[in-house]
């Protein structure tokens, strides 16, 4: 699952959160979980770019998060030797999402895992 949520300050001083976008992905049974999560992160990078353009002027900040330390390491470290599948998706994420906006969250706190 890939999802996007927006939080905003309400008039009464509290915050509210709205679900903006979601996408479910079908996966091959023989693919590893880290590769599936990396493909999901790459899809999230495409959505990040689309929402950034669509909501221009409405956003103060935008972040992207995942709960896999493996894929975040693949994405952040530049000197890793990666296979073609991984390298292509890492390049897509790095091209579309500033690394400072990429964060790790605990699995139970990841709303995209509720799909």
């Amino acid at each position: 699952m890939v999802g996007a949520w927006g939080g905003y300050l309400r008039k009464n001083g509290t915050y509210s959160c709205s679900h903006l976008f979601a996408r479910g992905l079908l996966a091959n049974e023989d693919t590893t979980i880290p590769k599936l999560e990396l493909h999901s992160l790459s899809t999230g990078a495409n959505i990040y770019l689309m929402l950034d353009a669509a909501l221009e002027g409405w956003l103060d900040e935008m972040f992207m998060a995942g709960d896999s330390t493996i894929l975040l390491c693949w994405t952040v470290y530049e000197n890793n030797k990666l296979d073609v599948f991984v390298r292509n998706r890492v390049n897509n994420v790095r091209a579309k999402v500033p690394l400072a906006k990429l964060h790790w969250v605990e699995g139970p706190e990841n709303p995209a895992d509720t799909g």
Side-chain angles (χ1 to χ4, degrees):
M1 290 291 299
V2 177
W5 292 263
Y8 53 92
L9 183 63
R10 298 172 58 184
K11 290 180 183 178
N12 65 5
T14 64
Y15 281 88
S16 184
C17 186
S18 295
H19 183 240
L20 300 175
F21 187 89
R23 172 126 173 105
L25 304 170
L26 295 176
N28 295 332
E29 291 180 9
D30 59 341
T31 306
T32 65
I33 290 175
K35 284 187 176 183
L36 292 173
E37 290 186 347
L38 181 61
H39 183 67
S40 180
L41 188 72
S42 180
T43 301
N46 296 336
I47 293 168
Y48 182 97
L49 194 66
M50 177 200 62
L51 288 175
D52 192 32
L55 300 174
E56 186 177 3
W58 288 47
L59 299 173
D60 291 330
E61 285 190 273
M62 211 163 127
F63 299 97
M64 192 163 139
D67 60 4
S68 172
T69 54
I70 294 171
L71 71 93
L72 293 173
C73 287
W74 283 343
T75 305
V76 173
Y77 297 118
E78 294 180 8
N79 295 328
N80 287 346
K81 197 168 202 157
L82 305 171
D83 66 34
V84 174
F85 177 92
V86 174
R87 174 62 59 199
N88 287 340
R89 282 150 185 85
V90 164
N91 287 342
N92 184 54
V93 172
R94 291 178 67 94
K96 295 178 179 169
V97 180
L99 292 181
K101 299 293 183 177
L102 189 59
H103 298 276
W104 176 84
V105 294
E106 290 187 40
E109 302 297 322
N110 186 356
D113 278 354
T114 62

